[in-house]
Amino acid sequence: MDLTLGRKGDYAMRAVLDLACHYGQGRRKAREIAEAMDIPARYLPQILALLVRRRLLVAVAGREGGYELARDPRDVTLMEVLEVAQGPMTTDTCVLRGAGPDASGLRDRACILHGPWIRAQRGLAEQLRKTTFRELADAHGVPARPTPTPGPATPREGA
């Protein structure tokens, strides 16, 4: 059984993971993300633009610009990025494609596998909703950086 991501989902996950690993370190250029995560540089801007439109990323143009997560990676889930990139995770069709009619001769009933399949899908969706990009960054060997807090004001010389 193939449960792999499509190309857009794969690249979106990689890009967000890179930004999660660099969270709090400033903006990242698209070329930096592409190189670090082995994403085609010509395709990445489309993925980043999609994530910006859906408010998962913030983009700033210019020499000092780049991309960064719009929220702390603790608040960005795998499901959220997956659904932005690939759409909702649902199965409305019968699992047994081409299966014949049930014992009563009706085709409009759910197939015998429908219930277990939907329960399995819900379990996967729940795990994707629970898993954050901070967890992935931690597993990738990037410890969480404390959120910067403003320190006390220091007097300027000559003031």
Side-chain angles (χ1 to χ4, degrees):
M1 179 186 333
D2 185 7
L3 292 175
T4 59
L5 296 169
R7 185 175 303 165
K8 192 185 287 187
D10 178 354
Y11 295 158
M13 292 287 190
R14 290 189 211 188
V16 174
L17 177 58
D18 179 79
L19 293 169
C21 288
H22 292 92
Y23 185 72
Q25 299 175 26
R27 294 180 205 94
R28 300 268 292 160
K29 301 286 187 191
R31 68 177 157 65
E32 293 174 313
I33 299 167
E35 288 173 17
M37 301 308 284
D38 196 26
I39 302 170
R42 284 188 277 171
Y43 190 53
L44 182 58
Q46 297 170 41
I47 301 296
L48 296 173
L50 176 64
L51 295 166
V52 169
R53 278 193 306 275
R54 297 294 293 273
R55 296 189 173 130
L56 287 174
L57 304 184
V58 174
V60 175
R63 221 175 98 203
E64 299 300 318
Y67 297 89
E68 60 189 342
L69 289 175
R71 302 188 313 263
D72 188 297
R74 287 176 183 87
D75 300 325
V76 181
T77 68
L78 289 176
M79 179 61 96
E80 191 173 10
V81 174
L82 177 67
E83 287 187 330
V84 165
Q86 296 190 182
M89 191 175 116
T90 60
T91 300
D92 294 333
T93 58
C94 180
V95 175
L96 296 175
R97 289 183 175 83
D102 66 10
S104 67
L106 300 174
R107 288 187 180 265
D108 60 348
R109 289 192 178 167
C111 75
I112 194 72
L113 293 179
H114 192 75
W117 206 263
I118 292 300
R119 287 190 297 277
Q121 183 182 15
R122 286 180 186 147
L124 174 59
E126 182 60 27
Q127 188 60 48
L128 294 172
R129 273 188 215 91
K130 286 180 179 178
T131 306
T132 69
F133 277 88
R134 178 73 261 155
E135 292 173 53
L136 296 180
D138 290 345
H140 197 57
V142 180
R145 290 180 173 270
T147 305
T149 55
T154 55
R156 294 186 317 197
E157 236 176 77

